Amino acid sequence: MIARLLREPLLQFLALGAMLFALHSLAGKRSAEAPEKIVVSASRVANLGDGFARTWRRLPNEQELQGLIEDYIRDEVFYREGRAAGLDRDDVIVRRRVRQKMEFLAEDMSAPEPSDEQLAAYLASNPERFRAEDQITFRQVFLSATRRANTMESDSKQVGSVLARADGALDVTALGDPFLLGEEFRGVSPSKLTSIFGEDFSKRIAAMETGRWQGPVSSGFGQHFVFISEWVSGNLPPLDAVRPVVHREWANARRLDAEQKLYASLRNRYEIVVEEPRAKAAEAASR
């Protein structure tokens, strides 16, 4: 009976509400007091830099070191606030778990379901995230770098001369070499072309006209003469076609925003002191 009650959504909701109320009550009480001090010691800064160096095999630059310091301060703020709210009980890895719990609280605070109007507005304001890619349909004449290692330049000129007078109806099978993926590609996206032929090939194709043979275009396989018969520009799909993706992205953006606002409000209650590493302090003093 008790186990079933604990699984009830209403009871879980009430428990979460009580936790949030306690947290905000504590925040209100402490905001009237003098801010606590967080000291990021010079040895701590040095340790952060050493940890970065062990991972990346180089010392962090100023921006990267500042990011490490800010992340440490974020840990400390969430850790202290979480402990003050009693969120550290029965956790093994207390510091990391408390920060995670605080971030989960921020996520729960931003959890209400979006309306269609909100999702449509998010879709319209972030078109680059949801726009469908262009679709390209083309034929090719392929000259293998392996088969034609010694004759590629002359063979390429000869094939190019023939194709310069040809249209899309010409049977070009005998002009080139077999290609593993075939001679015709239908509705292929630029990203797919990049994955098959490489970025340079994809960029060259993007600059080509439709309705005539062009090339050669080089790839890791050899050289390609291309006839683009159709190019369909990608468009922004309607909300119904991408609703799950838009919902996920919208919810993630809301979560990150809520988490950042919670962190900013908590961080403002602390006096932050970041000490200079001894070597850097000594260098500054000697100037």
Side-chain angles (χ1 to χ4, degrees):
M1 180 67 176
I2 294 176
R4 190 175 68 183
L5 283 174
L6 291 175
R7 291 195 298 268
E8 284 293 324
L10 178 59
L11 186 60
Q12 294 175 359
F13 176 79
L14 292 175
L16 175 62
M19 185 183 299
L20 288 174
F21 179 78
L23 180 62
H24 284 285
S25 297
L26 180 65
K29 178 181 177 181
R30 294 179 60 196
S31 62
E33 302 171 356
E36 291 190 41
K37 180 180 289 189
I38 293 176
V39 177
V40 186
S41 66
S43 61
R44 173 64 64 183
V45 174
N47 287 340
L48 293 172
D50 290 343
F52 182 97
R54 284 194 297 272
T55 301
W56 300 104
R57 307 296 182 187
R58 64 175 178 84
L59 292 174
N61 59 36
E62 287 294 332
Q63 184 177 0
E64 290 166 336
L65 182 60
Q66 189 58 40
L68 295 172
I69 294 171
E70 282 298 322
D71 197 56
Y72 174 82
I73 294 170
R74 187 186 187 92
D75 265 350
E76 188 67 22
V77 168
F78 277 138
Y79 172 67
R80 293 190 186 188
E81 294 292 331
R83 284 198 64 185
L87 299 182
D88 62 327
R89 295 167 189 163
D90 302 321
D91 276 292
V92 178
I93 310 174
V94 176
R95 187 184 196 89
R96 181 61 55 181
R97 291 283 293 161
V98 167
R99 171 175 170 172
Q100 288 174 346
K101 285 183 177 181
M102 293 291 291
E103 291 173 340
F104 290 154
L105 273 178
E107 183 174 353
D108 286 331
M109 292 165 66
S110 64
E113 282 296 304
S115 65
D116 280 0
E117 289 75 15
Q118 288 174 305
L119 292 180
Y122 187 80
L123 175 62
S125 60
N126 298 275
E128 70 286 347
R129 297 188 183 182
F130 309 104
R131 188 182 302 279
E133 285 196 81
D134 294 351
Q135 301 292 314
I136 310 162
T137 297
F138 68 93
R139 298 167 63 200
Q140 70 162 339
V141 174
F142 169 61
L143 303 181
S144 169
T146 303
R147 292 190 178 193
R148 302 173 187 262
N150 299 320
T151 62
M152 178 63 82
E153 185 175 354
S154 60
D155 290 351
S156 180
K157 288 181 180 179
Q158 182 179 355
V159 171
S161 178
V162 173
L163 293 177
R165 303 186 299 272
D167 58 21
L170 178 68
D171 184 0
V172 295
T173 307
L175 288 178
D177 302 315
F179 188 70
L180 182 62
L181 299 178
E183 278 65 53
E184 186 169 10
F185 293 79
R186 292 187 171 274
V188 184
S189 67
S191 61
K192 184 67 174 178
L193 284 180
T194 299
S195 69
I196 297 173
F197 298 102
E199 187 174 359
D200 289 342
F201 181 96
S202 182
K203 287 180 178 179
R204 286 285 305 277
I205 292 290
M208 287 184 174
E209 302 173 6
T210 60
R212 68 183 184 90
W213 286 100
Q214 296 163 89
V217 183
S218 297
S219 77
F221 304 106
Q223 292 194 345
H224 310 255
F225 290 86
V226 176
F227 185 96
I228 301 176
S229 57
E230 185 179 33
W231 189 299
V232 179
S233 296
N235 55 11
L236 191 63
L239 176 60
D240 286 343
V242 288
R243 183 183 297 276
V245 180
V246 176
H247 186 286
R248 183 178 67 244
E249 292 292 321
W250 178 91
N252 187 55
R254 285 288 298 269
R255 178 185 62 80
L256 292 175
D257 183 60
E259 180 185 313
Q260 185 57 36
K261 286 179 179 177
L262 174 62
Y263 169 65
S265 68
L266 297 177
R267 191 184 193 278
N268 285 338
R269 296 208 298 272
Y270 291 84
E271 178 188 353
I272 307 297
V273 178
V274 180
E275 296 180 350
E276 288 280 353
R278 290 186 179 85
K280 184 177 288 188
E283 179 184 348
S286 66
R287 289 178 182 174

